[in-house]
Amino acid sequence: MDCKFESKVREIPYPQQLVYDTLSDLTNMERVKERMPDDKIQDFTFDRDSLSVEVSPIGRVTLRIIEREEPKCIKFETAESPIPFFFWIQLLPVTEEACKMRLTIKTELNPLMKGMVSGPLKEALEKMADIIAGIKYE
């Protein structure tokens, strides 16, 4: 069954293009490394187009960018994950100096798995949205 999870919309006090430029080059994830919860995330590695992380208790998750739609959307797919999924970051301008962001995950889950992972997945998505919204885009 198709399952879609969306974060709440976050406002980011930086221009859409600057946020897009930062997030579409994953080498910039160095900025968020120290904000990751050590008890849940280890072995965080990345290059321009992919990132890989060991997530407790899930295991290794590797995402790679499959599409960049400048300056409004960055789409990812899993290259390695216990549950394959698609993930995207949407950006919309609010003013010249601010934009809005929403994170979305789309996956296929059977009803049992959906019941087990919906809560933790939604919580992780909101936490990720907070981290991305809190980056100093300068």
Side-chain angles (χ1 to χ4, degrees), residues 5-30:
F5 303 92
E6 294 181 326
S7 72
K8 294 180 185 134
V9 173
R10 304 294 198 286
E11 190 156 326
I12 301 175
Y14 294 95
Q16 178 188 19
Q17 186 68 52
L18 178 61
V19 174
Y20 174 86
D21 290 345
T22 303
L23 296 177
S24 65
D25 179 351
L26 298 178
T27 59
N28 291 312
M29 291 300 102
E30 188 67 46

Side-chain angles (χ1 to χ4, degrees), residues 50-64:
S50 65
L51 64 85
S52 188
V53 64
E54 191 71 34
V55 181
S56 177
I58 298 166
R60 176 146 304 280
V61 176
T62 302
L63 293 172
R64 82 170 166 264

